[in-house]
Amino acid sequence: MVKDYRRCVSCRKLAPRNEFWRVVRSHPAHTVTIELDQTLVQGRSAYLCPTAACLQVAQKKNRLGRSLKARVGEEIYQQLGLLPHSPAP
């Protein structure tokens, strides 16, 4: 695997990490947050393509919750929905 490449939890696309949204379950607080800037928050993370299609699939199939091993609240999905989306491939 190439350095700094990550995989989308929804569509399984492999791409550089700066092309994804990063959702983090921080340690030790176990709170789920969205990493908006490129500062590294420590904890378990999941990456998601910035498209509406990947967001819908991730929410419907609880892909973020399973990947983070934590409950992902509706407010996280709402915040992700407000972020700028890139066009679908």
Side-chain angles (χ1 to χ4, degrees), residues 5-24 32-36 38 44-68 72-87 89:
Y5 272 62
R6 301 295 186 263
R7 189 173 302 275
C8 173
V9 296
S10 185
C11 70
R12 310 291 293 158
K13 173 185 164 186
L14 188 66
R17 74 181 281 180
N18 61 354
E19 292 184 18
F20 293 116
W21 289 329
R22 182 174 183 237
V23 182
V24 183
V32 177
T33 58
I34 302 167
E35 182 185 278
L36 296 174
Q38 293 299 320
R44 180 176 287 270
S45 60
Y47 294 86
L48 189 65
C49 290
T51 62
C54 281
L55 180 58
Q56 285 177 334
V57 170
Q59 185 173 11
K60 181 178 179 182
K61 296 185 177 185
N62 192 30
R63 297 268 170 91
L64 288 174
R66 278 190 276 154
S67 181
L68 296 173
V72 178
E74 185 66 30
E75 65 277 357
I76 296 294
Y77 291 108
Q78 289 173 356
Q79 289 175 10
L80 286 170
L82 295 175
L83 293 176
H85 291 71
S86 62

